[in-house]
Amino acid sequence: MKKTTLAMTLASVLLIPALAQAETAPEGYQLQQVLLMSRHNLRAPLANNGSVLEQSTAQKWPQWDVPGGQLTTKGGVLEVYMGHYFREWFAQQGLVTSGECPANNRVYAYANSLQRTVATAQFFITGAFPGCDIPVHHQEKMGTMDPTFNPVITNTSPEFQQAALKAMETQRGEYQLDESYKLLEEVTGYDDSPSCKQKQVCDLTAAKDTFSAKPTEEPGVSGPLKVGNSLVDAFTLQYYEGFPMEDVAWGQIKTDKQWSVLSKLKNGYQDTLFTSPDVARNVAAPLVKYIQKALVTEKQGPAVTVLVGHDSNIASLLTALDFKPYQLAHQYERTPIGGKIMFQRWHDSKTNRDLMKVEYVYQSSEQLRDATPLNLESPPQRVALQLTGCPTDSDGFCPWDKFTAVLDSAVK
């Protein structure tokens, strides 16, 4: 396992006043441990020039200053802001001491071995613990998927493959996407695209999706759902990066309603591939086992564990653990760029028992576009999540033994 530290201070980014009043937990509650499962922050589109993007429109795509899939400079700044907020909140809860570097092994950072995930972890650590020598752990060979974060199918039986394909087709049927495809065709001028003129694929609502569920590969799809996801992903990233609005989707997306309609394609793609229960439990199994080890098996381990992976990791994890449906305010993405699932182990001294609380902490669409500095006074968005197998009280806490039972069930 390789360790990498970030040799930069970003001093101007970090000098943000912390003036807010402390958030309160119930009397007698003390935060003991936190595990963050994070999606990487802002990257350039994965579908680069010459790919599905250029096949889907005759219009010219704006240029990015980093290669496709890599974390952008702004993505680094946004993650520093997120780290700064967490530093203040951790200190407020007594998990770390403000202005001091954590003791050895008190904080552990572990990222998938791609540039955007390792860099995200580095920037988070810089924001959360500036000047501290906290390494980011990852596989030695960059550009390869770490098994913990690699959402590939491991069940080799033909029966599972057929069940997975059926599940994905059923999940796709839950989404009514004709309106989204029609709007996408208007935005891109699809009638004039190479796909239409050269391949005679001119109507996304008429084309068919073909799913795949092969062992050692990620669940996949070819067809209009993949095209729609790639295009809407590119538009969303342009918006977050701060491109002038006339350059975001060539100025064709003007209303919240349009964003909402188009985002159904991206969310539908992710849900179809990664949130049918059997598929999710299979592809998320290595990550669930790691989380179980960090929070249960090694209960006296690091006070803060930071894991950085991908939207597919979060989507499959939430389904594998059977979280109830959730809504994220001020966001169109179900698993936003830079968003974090925060598992929190608390101790109630009055009853001498441990409790679990899970929240989604993320930046709103506007906070991402505007690069809003974050602190206790200007926080990111926080949404309490609920596990079906671990009912919560009015404050969002569920019994620790119920939570550990959920993990046990998920890894069987």
Side-chain angles (χ1 to χ4, degrees), residues 304-319:
V304 178
T305 300
V306 181
L307 308 178
V308 182
H310 307 271
D311 52 358
S312 55
N313 295 134
I314 290 178
S316 58
L317 174 67
L318 292 176
T319 299

Side-chain angles (χ1 to χ4, degrees), residues 75-326:
V77 172
L78 291 168
E79 197 61 28
V80 167
Y81 288 158
M82 189 68 99
H84 182 94
Y85 166 76
F86 273 100
R87 170 162 59 96
E88 291 189 352
W89 188 74
F90 289 156
Q92 174 196 81
Q93 303 303 329
L95 200 61
V96 302
T97 302
S98 183
E100 296 182 7
C101 288
N104 287 343
N105 303 319
R106 187 80 174 153
V107 176
Y108 188 85
Y110 173 31
N112 190 26
S113 42
L114 301 182
Q115 184 271 350
R116 61 184 176 274
T117 44
V118 172
T120 293
Q122 290 172 332
F123 280 111
F124 180 88
I125 293 298
T126 297
F129 308 104
C132 301
D133 186 20
I134 298 174
V136 171
H137 300 257
H138 59 87
Q139 282 191 151
E140 182 72 29
K141 188 176 180 181
M142 289 289 287
T144 61
M145 294 292 287
D146 185 311
T148 299
F149 300 99
N150 197 7
V152 297
I153 291 171
T154 58
N155 190 320
T156 60
S157 73
E159 294 81 8
F160 179 85
Q161 182 176 356
Q162 290 305 311
L165 290 172
K166 184 176 180 180
M168 286 189 277
E169 291 169 359
T170 301
Q171 197 82 3
R172 166 62 184 87
E174 297 294 318
Y175 278 82
Q176 302 299 317
L177 298 176
D178 283 4
E179 181 186 13
S180 302
Y181 284 130
K182 289 298 185 186
L183 178 56
L184 186 63
E185 289 172 359
E186 294 173 12
V187 169
T188 58
Y190 204 71
D191 286 348
D192 292 325
S193 71
S195 286
C196 180
K197 292 190 174 297
Q198 298 171 16
K199 300 179 182 178
Q200 287 71 56
V201 179
C202 302
D203 184 354
L204 291 171
T205 63
K208 299 297 183 183
D209 290 312
T210 302
F211 297 98
S212 64
K214 299 177 182 178
T216 73
E217 295 182 9
E218 289 190 25
V221 62
S222 60
L225 191 60
K226 182 175 182 179
V227 173
N229 173 71
S230 296
L231 291 167
V232 176
D233 180 62
F235 299 153
T236 303
L237 296 171
Q238 290 170 1
Y239 181 81
Y240 291 163
E241 182 69 12
F243 280 69
M245 287 308 296
E246 61 268 22
D247 292 336
V248 176
W250 312 284
Q252 296 300 304
I253 307 177
K254 304 178 186 298
T255 67
D256 288 342
K257 174 67 182 302
Q258 288 177 307
W259 278 114
S260 181
V261 169
L262 289 171
S263 293
K264 289 180 181 178
L265 294 169
K266 193 169 187 297
N267 293 331
Y269 172 89
Q270 183 183 85
D271 283 354
T272 297
L273 296 188
F274 294 105
T275 68
S276 58
D278 287 346
V279 173
R281 282 192 290 268
N282 184 253
V283 302
L287 182 58
V288 173
K289 290 176 182 176
Y290 188 93
I291 291 172
Q292 182 183 48
K293 178 182 176 183
L295 291 177
V296 182
T297 308
E298 298 177 356
K299 193 173 178 180
Q300 301 305 316
V304 178
T305 300
V306 181
L307 308 178
V308 182
H310 307 271
D311 52 358
S312 55
N313 295 134
I314 290 178
S316 58
L317 174 67
L318 292 176
T319 299
L321 297 182
D322 198 12
F323 278 89
K324 295 181 179 180
Y326 61 91

